[in-house]
Amino acid sequence: MKKLPFRFVLFSACSLFACADALADNPLMLDTFAADPTARFFEGKIYLYPSHDIIPPNGGRGFCMEDYHVYSSENLMDWTDHGVIVTQEKVEWVNPNYGMWAPDCVFKDGKYYFYFPANSRGANKRVGVAVADKPYGPFTPEPNYIPDIPPSIDPSVLIDPKDGAAYIFYSMNAIFVAKLKDNMLELETAPVKIDNLPTEGLVEGPFAFERNGIYYLTFPHDVGGGEALEYATADNPMGPYTMKGTIMGKHKDCWTNHHSLVLYKGQWYLFYHYKDLSPRDDTRRSARAEFLTFNEDGTIQPIVPTLRGVGICDAKRKIQIDRYSAVSESGTEVSYLNSEKTGEGWKIALSAKGAFVQYDRVDFGEETLKSVKIRANASEGGAIELRLDKADGPLLAKIEIPEGAEWKETSAKLETAPTKQHNLVAVSTGENPVEIDWVSFE
Ligand code: FUB
């Protein structure tokens, strides 16, 4: 069979699942690319406003974005795609040449304002607004971009909880801020460059918010070969700001990082992106999320990216154990189930006796679960023990994986019936390697 090029296969998969709900750890979505994720708390849920990387329709390389979707989630595991909210074909001032970059959305006085940078017909990137009554639209784009914002990218809007005033931050080889008028569509003050930040490498992606009277400005900073997420704080939205430190180091092999922070049900989260579904092209990115913690003094604890991400996984779902929280020091390897169709997800190989993988936060519920099913592959046959909480925790089940070259689903009775929330650990107890796709309880 002739092999299709990688980009064609992934594009086909995206088309196939275009309207499907997504379920994921990190990355949050498997059926689409979603970069530059701005997360907002609206109407009791998290709404995610990413930019939408696609494969360039006429070949070529580099960023390619023609529209925006919005997603929502209550549990941070299931993401509902509400569809396209703004598209390059339907914004008068936009040159429809696939340049719709990182957006933001805020709520003020009963309306949702979606800010987005795109290529204008005058060629430069400009910042425009679309307005809606609901967080998922329908959004009506303004006929023109905000004229007083010079060519620039990546708007982020902070609404000051003190007095309701709105400030727009954006990038153009530095970070700028201006106060918005009450109508949210025009500037009230001329933009000013924010001082006391790194003098080089601030090319994009500011995000601004307030917490406990402290104003935070967080931003990607090119530290050489990639962007770290750093932050500064101030007593006022317009500054002066003081550099505070790094939230996340640069990715090893994805040059951009773009982020937002949000408080949801008492927990802060960082949303950011990585090229999970596109290992050979870091301009096709995927949204991710991590827990974020503030210290007593308002500083932010640095975050190391994880595969597990956030959210609690129901034990009856297909628990994607390869999105692990921890693994044994050796004998494990994660790889795509199908490297030509990365959206199918991953598997984990346990190649040595004693090798284990741990997946945190499984909700076993209140009812008595009786059995477990595992989708695994062990050409020479293998043995897995499932344990609760840690690698030598209470035994849940012993599973013999029959030999054979095919993936198979094998069931086993549970030795104990767990309830409530626990970590799940799969340990290889045989001499032969075993690959695991997922585990699910019944
Ligand atoms: O997604 C296109 C651009 O890449 C964004 O506007 C930047 O923040 C960077 O992520």
Side-chain angles (χ1 to χ4, degrees), residues 262-279:
V262 69
L263 177 64
Y264 183 52
K265 297 185 178 171
Q267 170 69 52
W268 281 88
Y269 296 91
L270 175 80
F271 285 76
Y272 65 107
H273 71 218
Y274 180 63
K275 54 165 197 170
D276 295 88
L277 298 176
S278 173

Side-chain angles (χ1 to χ4, degrees), residues 35-36 51 53 63 65 101-102 117 153-154 204-205 220 227 256-258 273 285:
D36 309 324
S51 39
D53 290 342
F63 297 127
M65 295 103 122
W101 285 15
I153 60 168
D154 296 3
E204 54 198 10
E227 295 180 321
T256 63
N257 200 352
H258 187 115
H273 71 218
R285 292 130 330 149

Side-chain angles (χ1 to χ4, degrees), residues 8 24 48 53 72 108 113 120 128 154 159 162 175 185 199 210 218-219 267 285 288 299 317 326 353 369 371 385:
F8 181 81
L48 198 66
D53 290 342
S72 71
K108 188 158 186 316
Y113 296 89
S120 65
D154 296 3
I159 309 236
K162 223 169 42 193
I175 299 174
L185 306 175
T199 50
E210 184 273 354
T218 62
F219 46 84
Q267 170 69 52
R285 292 130 330 149
R288 289 175 156 215
T299 54
R317 305 181 83 131
K353 191 171 181 173
L369 296 166
S371 64
E385 285 183 4

Side-chain angles (χ1 to χ4, degrees), residues 229-250:
L229 300 179
E230 299 179 356
Y231 73 109
T233 60
D235 294 334
N236 290 291
M238 309 227 4
Y241 281 88
T242 305
M243 276 302 291
K244 286 291 172 180
T246 300
I247 302 172
M248 179 178 277
K250 69 174 178 180

Side-chain angles (χ1 to χ4, degrees), residues 119-140:
N119 296 335
S120 65
R121 295 192 186 270
N124 286 317
K125 279 257 184 320
R126 306 301 294 242
V127 171
V129 196
V131 187
D133 292 328
K134 299 301 272 180
Y136 43 82
F139 281 90
T140 305

